[in-house]
Amino acid sequence: MAEFTMELNDEQKEVRDWLHGFAADVIRPAAAEWDEREETPWPVIQEAAKVGIYSLDFYAQQYFDPTGLGIPMAMEELFWGDAGIALSIVGTGLAAVGVLANGTEEQIGTWIPQMYGDANDVKVAAFCSSEPDAGSDVASLRTRAVYDEAKDEWVINGTKTWATNGGIANVHVVVAVVDSELGSKGHASFIVPPNTPGLSQGQKFKKHGIRASHTAEVVLENVRVPGSCLLGGKEKLDERLARARERARSGGERVKNAAMATFEASRPAVGAMAVGTARAAYEVALDYATTREQFGRPIIDNQGVAFQLADMRTSIDAARLLVWRASWMAVNGRPFTSAEGSMSKLFASETAKKVTGQAIQILGGNGYTREYPVERMHRDAAIYTIFEGTSEIQRLVIARTLSGMPIR
Ligand SMILES: Cc1cc2nc3c(=O)[nH]c(=O)nc-3n(C[C@H](O)[C@H](O)[C@H](O)COP(=O)(O)OP(=O)(O)OC[C@H]3O[C@@H](n4cnc5c(N)ncnc54)[C@H](O)[C@@H]3O)c2cc1C
């Protein structure tokens, strides 16, 4: 039986150090500029593609790390560099995972390379699920996909919102309702290929943080995609819908639990992003506290400052441990009987928000300016308690899982 260890193996350390180097040398120096510009940092994505960080191969390698730590380690390092730029680099991965999870071999082989492009001509992809009236309440999507049997095409109509890379993506993955009676089990995912008529970008949002990451509405008006763009294929969809209808008739609980398990496995990755941002702000604050002098001594000589740093670091380490536990559970197929994935996302995201705020306080007036990075990190950190399920939704999931009660 393998010994319990808290240490990364040599290969993991090598990957971590390589990513850290890229984050420190390429991402961090570009962070303030792209935050101000509020634009997708194409040159940085291109750099990431050149060294092999912006590619499916890289994510697949991390994903299949048998310890489960490959993805959280990569997220922590990239987001340590800068959250907005890192999201621009990993955003395509959200759409790619949608295809990997539900697509056929042929769909994976056809579409994922088009999501990334190549180092000389990088592309991005978008995953479009959220809608103006369906955020936390994902089951209430309105975007409809109707099958046109005569032409073997799907016709998609609706408005998506908050789509990372929405409208600028080469490939969009769109979640739509195919059977409105079945809640989230009546949803299916579709590839919308490059330059498909009817898909357009709506409003591009001007955001509080992660401003280097493009977020926009995506409008779908009579978008026609070939039958082959339904992820998983029609036969599989029909079987799945038939099973869901049967289960719905005999008590819907199992349907709900299957969907929950998927989220539990993906949420730790967002927790790891939050750990990266929190760690970045903590390091700036620690450095500042040891060099800034007031009353003739470094400000860290005051317990009021030193204890804050102690608490910040303790929370960050605790968050990382929760993230690693959940990631390990996911890769080893352990059941999330206490919603450990949601726990890790909840704690890490709340930690990032708190720690980045404390960092501003420790830097005093400087912390409040754009001359120092902590104000940006604080703005960035606010996203972690919102996307991939808000903190309230995480608490709801945890409370329901622990109690078995239908808490609302
Ligand atoms: C920058 C950014 C990028 C995003 N990227 C993507 C993307 O790429 N693709 C995509 O599909 N989506 C994306 N999202 C959408 C994101 O997942 C949603 O914003 C999120 O799920 C919350 O939905 P909402 O904004 O509609 O808030 P709402 O669901 O309206 O929630 C508003 C408030 O009510 C609370 N609330 C709601 N229901 C309950 C309840 N039952 N109990 C207690 N409190 C509750 C929430 O916690 C929140 O505080 C992104 C969002 C942002 C801001």
Side-chain angles (χ1 to χ4, degrees):
M1 196 168 144
E3 256 180 54
F4 178 75
T5 173
M6 298 292 292
E7 275 183 346
L8 299 178
N9 62 38
D10 288 346
E11 204 179 316
Q12 288 169 326
K13 283 185 193 154
E14 210 175 291
V15 175
R16 180 198 59 192
D17 294 347
W18 170 59
L19 289 168
H20 187 75
F22 185 82
D25 299 341
V26 181
I27 297 180
R28 184 70 70 84
E33 179 192 339
W34 292 100
D35 174 58
E36 290 292 338
R37 287 173 64 163
E38 299 195 43
E39 285 169 13
T40 300
W42 291 106
V44 186
I45 301 177
Q46 194 164 13
E47 275 305 299
K50 274 188 195 147
V51 299
I53 291 172
Y54 186 71
S55 71
L56 178 67
D57 278 0
F58 172 73
Y59 290 103
Q61 267 171 29
Q62 302 318 311
Y63 189 79
F64 290 114
D65 177 342
T67 67
L69 301 190
I71 291 289
M73 209 177 59
M75 295 298 167
E76 180 176 337
E77 292 311 322
L78 295 173
F79 282 73
W80 173 91
D82 177 63
I85 294 179
L87 191 61
S88 285
I89 293 173
V90 308
T92 296
L94 297 177
V97 166
V99 177
L100 278 177
N102 302 308
T104 61
E105 296 268 306
E106 201 185 335
Q107 288 169 329
I108 291 168
T110 305
W111 299 111
I112 293 186
Q114 296 192 51
M115 291 183 166
Y116 285 94
D118 61 59
N120 295 317
D121 184 20
V122 285
K123 305 284 186 203
V124 293
F127 178 75
C128 312
S129 173
S130 302
E131 296 181 3
D133 293 321
S136 301
D137 185 9
V138 278
S140 63
L141 293 188
R142 288 192 190 157
T143 297
R144 291 295 303 246
V146 177
Y147 188 52
D148 177 348
E149 201 161 357
K151 292 188 174 157
D152 183 27
E153 285 178 347
W154 288 89
V155 187
I156 310 173
N157 277 289
T159 300
K160 294 292 178 182
T161 193
W162 306 123
T164 300
N165 297 333
I168 61 167
N170 201 34
V171 177
H172 290 77
V173 176
V174 172
V175 185
V177 178
V178 290
D179 183 330
S180 54
E181 301 291 303
L182 293 174
S184 59
K185 277 287 153 183
H187 298 172
S189 298
F190 298 86
I191 292 283
V192 181
N195 307 316
T196 301
L199 183 148
S200 60
Q201 181 183 305
Q203 179 190 4
K204 177 189 170 184
F205 295 104
K206 291 176 82 68
K207 303 195 299 295
H208 178 61
I210 54 164
R211 301 197 305 187
S213 169
H214 172 105
T215 317
E217 289 175 337
V218 173
V219 181
L220 301 125
E221 283 173 312
N222 290 323
V223 169
R224 284 188 165 264
V225 298
S228 59
C229 285
L230 165 66
L231 288 178
K234 182 87 168 55
E235 203 174 311
K236 213 169 141 199
L237 173 70
D238 289 342
E239 282 170 19
R240 182 162 65 76
L241 292 178
R243 273 200 311 272
R245 285 180 197 118
E246 184 51 42
R247 280 180 191 159
R249 269 195 291 276
S250 58
E253 271 318 294
R254 281 172 60 207
V255 174
K256 242 190 232 165
N257 292 343
M260 287 295 178
T262 315
F263 287 127
E264 286 301 312
S266 64
R267 282 179 176 152
V270 180
M273 299 173 187
V275 170
T277 300
R279 191 184 110 211
Y282 156 78
E283 286 175 7
V284 175
L286 177 64
D287 183 53
Y288 193 87
T290 52
T291 49
R292 169 72 176 167
E293 293 196 359
Q294 285 294 276
F295 303 99
R297 59 182 200 268
I299 58 170
I300 198 171
D301 270 10
N302 304 290
Q303 279 192 358
V305 174
F307 282 14
Q308 276 196 74
L309 285 158
D311 285 347
M312 288 157 78
R313 179 58 193 266
T314 303
S315 308
I316 293 166
D317 282 18
R320 185 184 300 106
L321 287 174
L322 283 177
V323 165
W324 283 14
R325 176 179 71 167
S327 305
W328 176 86
M329 289 174 74
V331 87
N332 286 291
R334 296 291 196 276
F336 291 97
T337 49
S338 306
E340 290 87 345
S342 295
M343 275 188 200
S344 72
K345 198 265 181 184
L346 171 64
F347 189 77
S349 58
E350 295 287 342
T351 293
K353 232 167 122 172
K354 185 165 179 204
V355 162
T356 52
Q358 288 172 306
I360 291 181
Q361 191 64 20
I362 290 171
L363 267 72
N366 281 330
Y368 199 63
T369 70
R370 293 192 184 183
E371 295 299 307
Y372 285 78
V374 290
E375 73 80 34
R376 184 182 68 248
M377 292 165 182
H378 188 48
R379 286 187 285 110
D380 292 345
I383 192 56
Y384 301 125
T385 61
I386 296 174
F387 69 7
E388 283 277 319
T390 63
S391 284
E392 291 71 30
I393 295 301
Q394 308 304 326
R395 290 190 176 95
L396 200 64
V397 170
I398 297 165
R400 280 179 184 163
T401 309
L402 295 178
S403 67
M405 301 292 285
I407 296 164
R408 294 198 299 150

